Amino acid sequence: MNSLMQSNVPQQRLGFIGAGRVAQTLARAAQQAGWTVSHVASRHAEHAQALAAALPDCTADSAPAVVARCDLVLLTVSDDAIATVCASLPWRAGQAAIHCSGATEVSALAPAAAAGASTGGFHPLTVFADPAATLPSLPGCTVAIEAQDPLKRILEQLAQDLQLRPLSLPPGARARYHAAAHYAGAFLNALLGDAARLWASFGATEAQMLAALAPLARSTLNAAQAGGLAGSLPGVVSRGDVGTLAKHLRALDDLPEPDLAALYRTLALRTLETARRAGRLDPAQVAAIEALLRSDQQLVQTGRESVQ
Ligand SMILES: NC(=O)c1ccc[n+]([C@@H]2O[C@H](COP(=O)([O-])OP(=O)(O)OC[C@H]3O[C@@H](n4cnc5c(N)ncnc54)[C@H](OP(=O)(O)O)[C@@H]3O)[C@@H](O)[C@H]2O)c1
């Protein structure tokens, strides 16, 4: 059995408990990167057997046997099962228990820590589906690592070998870190859903909307990554174009679904704050836009006359 202090970290015996989407991808990636994935367990033995069969020299076994035989044990079970599964296993000093959840605190692994094991989080910031599709897209993704040395150093080595970009997370930050990721994933999808509703109102399909707006979203992301959020800010708010903004609000307020206008106003206020920070607008422009966005529908109707 190796120790976590061993310098040749790929010699550590890696085990997985939970043979789902993340395990199927990370186990293959680690094995391809030269790490030893020796044991796998899962709730259903046949799922562990299927994963083990896809890896050279890997054995499907019970979860306690994985803990007994491996140095680094990744608990790749569903979030709600992490604490219970961890509490049921025979941990010992000199090994590590690691979960791959974004939002679950590492303290969910407290029973392993109480038995002397190191504990940590290793959360790859990507969507895992079919391993054949996910494996090639792993390089360049970020992985959030929360651990103390020497485990932190080992997980950083694993990240480097998988061509992931390590991001160090302090204790207590996981829920905020994971919530923030939704703005670039699930919520971006939700925003495009609002765009689809608006385009449907003039007869365009979701496919037409995506064909037109997905490239716009990509170029916005590319510009933001290259020039920063403030430096690359697009749109009518950043230009101080009060007249066009009032037209948008009037069109949205005329729709039977008030939630579209409400979210537009909230997002436009966020955009205004970025434009103000970037020094793109003078104080009078900021005040005029803020007044327009904070006005209720009645006031916007009145404001129509001044911009027509
Ligand atoms: N999917 C993603 O995009 C993604 C991305 C980053 C991180 N994560 C995190 O990675 C972890 C695993 O997610 P996943 O997507 O791989 O989940 P998944 O595909 O649903 O797989 C979960 C696995 O856990 C096993 N399991 C559940 N309860 C168990 C128990 N009590 N004992 C033993 N095994 C148990 C299941 O076993 P059986 O198959 O045998 O029933 C299943 O194979 C989660 O913490 C998740 O938050 C997921």
Side-chain angles (χ1 to χ4, degrees):
M1 188 67 59
N2 297 308
S3 145
L4 283 182
M5 298 304 289
Q6 184 177 317
S7 58
N8 188 7
V9 287
Q11 292 305 312
Q12 306 269 347
R13 288 152 67 96
L14 218 58
F16 285 83
I17 298 176
R21 291 163 292 187
V22 168
Q24 288 170 30
T25 305
L26 286 188
R28 282 175 171 84
Q31 182 265 321
Q32 286 171 12
W35 288 65
T36 306
V37 182
S38 65
H39 290 80
V40 186
S42 204
R43 185 171 43 190
H44 296 93
E46 65 271 26
H47 294 165
Q49 283 155 6
L51 177 53
L55 301 165
D57 304 321
C58 182
T59 307
D61 216 326
S62 68
V66 172
V67 170
R69 293 180 182 133
C70 294
D71 308 295
L72 301 181
V73 179
L74 283 100
L75 288 170
T76 43
V77 297
S78 42
D79 287 4
D80 290 347
I82 290 171
T84 329
V85 170
C86 178
S88 71
L89 295 170
W91 302 99
R92 58 185 154 71
Q95 69 177 169
I98 301 131
H99 75 57
C100 291
S101 167
T104 308
E105 290 298 334
V106 170
S107 58
L109 304 173
S118 300
T119 56
F122 187 84
H123 177 248
L125 201 42
T126 188
V127 176
F128 287 78
D130 171 28
T134 312
L135 254 179
S137 66
L138 272 186
C141 291
T142 286
V143 60
I145 293 175
E146 182 184 339
Q148 303 289 317
D149 279 334
L151 178 58
K152 184 178 183 196
R153 186 170 42 79
I154 292 168
L155 294 178
E156 285 171 351
Q157 177 73 57
L158 178 61
Q160 185 181 318
D161 291 349
L162 301 185
Q163 298 176 62
L164 298 167
R165 302 155 72 98
L167 168 77
S168 184
L169 271 190
R174 305 189 76 83
R176 279 169 284 142
Y177 149 82
H178 195 246
H182 282 63
Y183 289 90
F187 298 165
L188 182 58
N189 189 297
L191 289 176
L192 290 171
D194 273 13
R197 286 163 69 193
L198 286 170
W199 278 46
S201 72
F202 55 85
T205 64
E206 179 181 304
Q208 286 174 311
M209 179 281 294
L210 285 172
L213 298 193
L216 182 60
R218 279 188 207 101
S219 64
T220 305
L221 282 173
N222 289 341
Q225 204 174 357
L229 296 177
S232 66
L233 189 65
V236 292
V237 171
S238 73
R239 293 195 293 272
D241 193 343
V242 181
T244 303
L245 187 61
K247 283 181 189 152
H248 288 181
L249 292 174
R250 187 175 64 197
L252 296 175
D253 284 334
D254 282 346
L255 293 170
E257 304 132 303
D259 61 314
L260 286 165
L263 183 58
Y264 182 100
R265 280 186 165 80
T266 300
L267 294 172
L269 283 166
R270 292 281 191 282
T271 311
L272 180 63
E273 177 53 27
T274 309
R276 191 194 58 73
R277 268 193 290 118
R280 284 169 168 252
L281 305 173
D282 63 40
Q285 286 175 305
V286 172
I289 292 172
E290 185 162 4
L292 185 60
L293 291 171
R294 293 198 188 282
S295 63
D296 61 22
Q297 190 171 346
Q298 184 67 41
L299 291 174
V300 174
Q301 300 287 339
T302 312
R304 269 184 213 181
E305 288 137 33
S306 62
V307 296
Q308 277 171 345

